[in-house]
Amino acid sequence: MLQDNYGRQFRYLRLSVTEACNYRCNYCLPDGYQQEGRPSFLSLTEIRKIASAFAQAGIDKIRITGGEPSIRKDLPQIIEAVKATPGIKTVALTTNGHRMEKYLDDWVAAGLDRLNVSIDSFDPRMFNSITGHDALESILRALDKACATSIGTIKVNTVLMRQYNLREFEDFLSWIKDRPITLRMIELMETGDNKQFFHDNHVAANELESSLISRGWQRQIRAKSAGPAKEYFHPDFDGRIGFIAPYSKDFCSSCNRLRVSSLGKLHLCLFGEEGYELRPYLDDPEKLIHYIHQVLGLKLPTHYLQEHQSGATKHLAMLGG
Ligand code: SAM
């Protein structure tokens, strides 16, 4: 079992497979992905080795993320490889959904268990102004199709922005009235590249939580090992509302995840250091597992986002959120 010096246990790995993204989200990559040098993203073979070592160390869930993971043509092979790793029970994918209509069947056939789709607005014009794309309708169609597949859990991630989608909150609620989907509102996080945007747009989740509670939404009790998201349900709604509120007190005490970047570095926090190179150890699983344990001993109790310190993270496409 992977455990840090503060008693937090880790069964969940977020594995980024590319830094590149086809979207230009205003809070993340407003000018689009700018390649620096000639990055060498993890190969399928390297992904297999990493998944296997982490599984042997106690990880049982791997989320494939990016950048935009569906940019990789071998995404179905990646899903299949992770799924085939002894010890891995759950393979999840986080995507902007742009290529979902075309490739969903391949992802399902490869064994995908969980799907998170990022949709920051249900208004096509607003969606375009946030992401730079006119893809909302295709994404929503694909999402409805996904609900009818063997994928067990489907979530939609929405980053809250005061000057953009906050006014759509009631529409978000209507959307989950008859859909068994968890809509997760993510607090905008400050990164190296978005300081002014963060200042203008950050909305604290508790502003919305108190409004939901006053309207009969109830907090779902979740195991501490389920991670830092909070979830609310309402008897009149098929869907649920979740909140990821990294600025709230004690957020980090329930941290349950580790991250590996597409460049093969282990990151102990989304807002931490430059990462620890795993590539030199990939051909020696024992050494690799030993190194992972050793590095985990360096994990700090908390991030310092409240003090506006976002570490080495310029934008979340670097690490996969
Ligand atoms: N391209 C995929 C997607 O769109 O889901 C995966 C990568 S993306 C970096 C993962 C998640 O991080 C998305 O839900 C995105 O909206 C969120 N994200 C990116 N930058 C963020 C920020 N500054 N604050 C909060 N969430 C952010």
Side-chain angles (χ1 to χ4, degrees):
M1 169 55 75
L2 287 165
Q3 179 164 322
D4 71 4
N5 294 336
Y6 304 91
R8 292 173 296 192
Q9 296 184 337
F10 300 87
R11 291 180 177 280
Y12 170 25
L13 176 70
R14 295 179 68 95
L15 177 61
S16 176
V17 296
T18 178
E19 277 185 4
C21 189
N22 51 345
Y23 272 26
R24 298 188 295 275
C25 295
N26 50 5
Y27 51 86
C28 187
L29 295 174
D31 302 320
Y33 169 66
Q34 311 287 324
Q35 182 173 310
E36 280 175 27
R38 295 182 59 135
S40 151
F41 299 132
L42 291 170
S43 68
L44 188 56
T45 306
E46 290 176 315
I47 289 171
R48 275 203 187 94
K49 290 177 183 174
I50 288 172
S52 168
F54 275 92
Q56 288 179 62
I59 292 289
D60 62 14
K61 169 180 165 187
I62 294 186
R63 174 173 299 285
I64 299 163
T65 179
E68 174 46 41
S70 65
I71 278 186
R72 280 190 64 151
K73 291 203 171 61
D74 60 353
L75 180 57
Q77 288 76 29
I78 294 174
I79 296 171
E80 210 165 42
V82 174
K83 180 80 175 178
T85 306
I88 298 300
K89 296 184 191 138
T90 308
V91 184
L93 174 71
T94 295
T95 173
N96 59 27
H98 193 81
R99 301 190 169 177
M100 189 163 57
E101 206 169 14
K102 194 161 172 199
Y103 294 112
L104 178 70
D105 292 341
D106 297 345
W107 304 343
V108 173
L112 189 66
D113 298 300
R114 296 190 185 186
L115 177 67
N116 282 17
V117 184
S118 304
I119 304 177
D120 294 325
S121 171
F122 292 99
D123 167 13
R125 284 171 58 194
M126 180 60 80
F127 183 92
N128 182 311
S129 89
I130 294 171
T131 65
H133 282 270
D134 267 328
L136 181 64
E137 281 179 18
S138 155
I139 295 169
L140 292 178
R141 267 197 310 270
L143 203 52
D144 281 336
K145 192 173 152 197
C147 289
T149 65
S150 58
I151 296 174
T153 309
I154 300 179
K155 293 183 180 168
V156 169
N157 292 337
T158 302
V159 178
L160 281 169
M161 289 168 274
R162 189 170 297 287
Q163 297 176 346
Y164 291 83
N165 58 10
L166 184 59
R167 69 191 86 142
E168 280 181 58
F169 189 62
E170 296 306 317
D171 300 336
F172 294 154
L173 293 183
S174 311
W175 192 74
I176 54 158
K177 182 93 177 43
D178 304 310
R179 280 189 180 82
I181 287 180
T182 299
L183 185 57
R184 287 212 309 203
M185 319 300 300
I186 307 179
E187 268 187 34
L188 179 64
M189 299 173 221
E190 183 171 352
T191 61
D193 282 358
N194 76 0
K195 293 192 176 298
Q196 186 60 43
F197 189 93
F198 169 83
H199 178 264
D200 296 340
N201 282 287
H202 178 254
V203 179
N206 58 17
E207 274 186 37
L208 299 170
E209 284 179 72
S210 33
S211 147
L212 288 180
I213 293 167
S214 70
R215 291 192 270 167
W217 288 80
Q218 296 166 54
R219 176 98 179 255
Q220 178 71 41
I221 310 293
R222 298 172 90 225
K224 199 162 185 254
S225 59
K230 292 191 230 168
E231 242 175 63
Y232 289 83
F233 65 94
H234 191 293
D236 298 340
F237 287 73
D238 288 344
R240 294 180 172 202
I241 293 278
F243 288 98
I244 302 203
Y247 291 86
S248 64
K249 196 173 152 290
D250 293 337
F251 181 79
C252 299
S253 65
S254 52
C255 182
N256 66 345
R257 59 207 57 198
L258 294 173
R259 294 176 168 86
V260 171
S261 74
S262 54
L263 299 174
K265 293 182 185 181
L266 171 58
H267 290 257
L268 300 171
C269 177
L270 191 46
F271 299 100
E273 20 37 51
E274 301 275 354
Y276 299 87
E277 292 277 6
L278 299 182
R279 274 179 159 151
Y281 303 96
L282 291 190
D283 288 330
D284 187 337
E286 248 176 64
K287 265 197 191 151
L288 177 56
I289 295 168
H290 178 74
Y291 185 61
I292 294 167
H293 278 280
Q294 201 184 343
V295 169
L296 188 55
L298 304 172
K299 186 166 164 71
L300 297 175
T302 180
H303 58 58
Y304 294 94
L305 272 185
Q306 286 87 347
E307 282 109 84
H308 301 282
Q309 290 182 32
S310 44
T313 307
K314 289 194 282 186
H315 49 70
L316 298 198
M318 283 170 66
L319 283 187

